[in-house]
């Protein structure tokens, strides 16, 4: 016997949400349940492909690439407390920076506090937008992440770093779209960093703030290097 339950809704912040739960009974009478959830573009596409009722009310923008917002409860990572999240993010950042031959970042508690303030703000607004935070009278570099499942320091760092697959080291004099998170992670001149996370009712946010900031035009060749 198979039973499928489907739920669709729109959150207060204007995100499409789709959930499907499948319960199956095997030959021995044991029940097995698997739940899959989708948000934003994934939810909209699934509803369009499957003619889900009321799909017209989801006229929404995407906060990230559709594939990155898909999850199944079988593989969803567990959440982390703030200390674990911060130190894991720092460790993975520095492991990746080492591959590119640049010095490790130092954790800065003031930047962590500023990042936490912005992460909390993002939860209240539900919109993934950059801050205008300054530290020592200079704008900070900033990487953001938003997803429906709990964030971890390792996952968010590797998600940003995976943009390296699109980076062309032969054109480092130019800005390259969809690679800015990666280049900030490995930017040589960035020396300090702060991390924070905040959990909302339907979306979770992660913020990293870097000092000095990276991603300056004309400086990529001096700050972004291939893997050694």
């Amino acid at each position: 016997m198979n039973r499928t339950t489907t739920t669709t809704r729109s959150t207060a912040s204007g995100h499409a949400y789709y959930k499907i739960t499948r319960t199956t009974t095997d030959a021995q009478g044991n029940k097995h349940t698997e739940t899959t959830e989708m948000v934003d573009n994934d939810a909209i596409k699934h509803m369009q492909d499957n003619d889900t009722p009321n799909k017209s009310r989801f006229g929404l923008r995407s906060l990230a690439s559709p594939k990155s917002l898909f999850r199944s409860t079988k593989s969803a990572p567990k959440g982390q407390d703030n200390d674990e999240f911060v130190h894991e993010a720092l460790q993975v950042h520095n492991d990746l920076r080492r591959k590119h031959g640049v010095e490790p970042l130092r954790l800065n508690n003031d930047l962590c506090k500023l990042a936490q303030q912005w992460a909390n703000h993002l939860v209240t607004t539900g919109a993934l937008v950059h801050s205008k935070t300054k530290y020592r009278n200079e704008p900070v570099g900033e990487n953001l992440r938003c997803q429906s499942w709990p964030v971890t320091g390792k996952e968010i760092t590797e998600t940003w770093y995976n943009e390296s697959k699109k980076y062309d080291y032969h054109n480092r004099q130019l800005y390259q779209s969809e690679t800015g998170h990666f280049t900030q992670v490995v930017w040589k001149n960035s020396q300090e960093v702060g991390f924070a996370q905040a959990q909302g009712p339907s979306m979770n946010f992660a913020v990293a703030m870097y000092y000095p900031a990276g991603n300056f035009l004309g400086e990529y060749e001096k700050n972004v290097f291939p893997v050694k």
Side-chain angles (χ1 to χ4, degrees), residues 85-97:
F85 170 80
V86 167
H87 287 94
E88 183 176 81
L90 179 66
Q91 178 180 336
V92 179
H93 265 71
N94 286 337
D95 287 345
L96 294 171
R97 287 172 66 88

Side-chain angles (χ1 to χ4, degrees), residues 11-225:
T11 70
S13 57
H15 302 293
Y17 175 86
Y18 179 91
K19 178 178 179 179
I20 182 168
T21 301
R22 296 182 179 88
T23 302
T24 61
T25 304
D26 61 24
Q28 288 73 40
N30 299 313
K31 291 185 177 181
H32 305 275
T33 300
E34 180 179 358
T35 300
T36 299
E37 297 178 67
M38 287 170 268
V39 294
D40 289 334
N41 278 5
D42 275 331
I44 295 167
K45 184 177 187 304
H46 188 91
M47 287 186 282
Q48 290 172 338
D49 292 345
N50 293 275
D51 197 27
T52 302
N54 299 323
K55 65 188 178 188
S56 60
R57 62 193 175 108
F58 297 104
L60 307 166
R61 67 181 180 86
S62 171
L63 291 179
S65 61
K67 290 183 179 179
S68 67
L69 285 168
F70 173 86
R71 81 173 173 105
S72 168
T73 55
K74 282 189 172 181
S75 59
K78 294 181 180 179
Q80 296 176 319
D81 62 38
N82 283 335
D83 285 344
E84 184 181 4
F85 170 80
V86 167
H87 287 94
E88 183 176 81
L90 179 66
Q91 178 180 336
V92 179
H93 265 71
N94 286 337
D95 287 345
L96 294 171
R97 287 172 66 88
R98 191 176 301 112
K99 291 182 178 181
H100 293 262
V102 297
E103 293 294 315
L105 295 167
R106 300 188 302 273
L107 189 65
N108 181 308
N109 289 330
D110 290 333
L111 287 175
C112 285
K113 292 176 182 177
L114 292 170
Q116 190 65 63
Q117 291 173 8
W118 192 247
N120 293 343
H121 171 77
L122 294 178
V123 165
T124 62
T125 63
L128 193 68
V129 294
H130 282 285
S131 72
K132 297 180 180 179
T133 301
K134 288 188 176 182
Y135 181 66
R136 297 172 185 162
N137 296 319
E138 296 180 18
V140 299
E142 189 172 78
N143 278 349
L144 306 177
R145 174 73 178 167
C146 171
Q147 59 192 41
S148 61
W149 60 96
V151 296
T152 68
K154 182 176 187 292
E155 182 193 15
I156 60 110
T157 303
E158 290 181 345
T159 298
W160 294 330
Y161 181 81
N162 282 343
E163 293 178 354
S164 61
K165 298 173 183 177
K166 304 176 183 178
Y167 194 74
D168 182 0
Y169 290 95
H170 298 292
N171 289 301
R172 281 183 289 171
Q173 71 275 18
L174 303 174
Y175 169 75
Q176 299 178 37
S177 63
E178 299 183 3
T179 62
H181 297 100
F182 156 66
T183 52
Q184 176 60 87
V185 168
V186 300
W187 195 264
K188 178 183 178 181
N189 196 45
S190 293
Q191 301 168 4
E192 301 175 67
V193 68
F195 301 102
Q197 63 166 328
Q199 298 182 359
S202 60
M203 302 296 285
N204 302 304
F205 294 84
V207 177
M209 291 187 176
Y210 306 82
Y211 178 86
N215 292 342
F216 285 98
L217 289 176
E219 297 186 13
Y220 286 89
E221 287 184 287
K222 298 183 294 183
N223 286 280
V224 181
F225 309 110

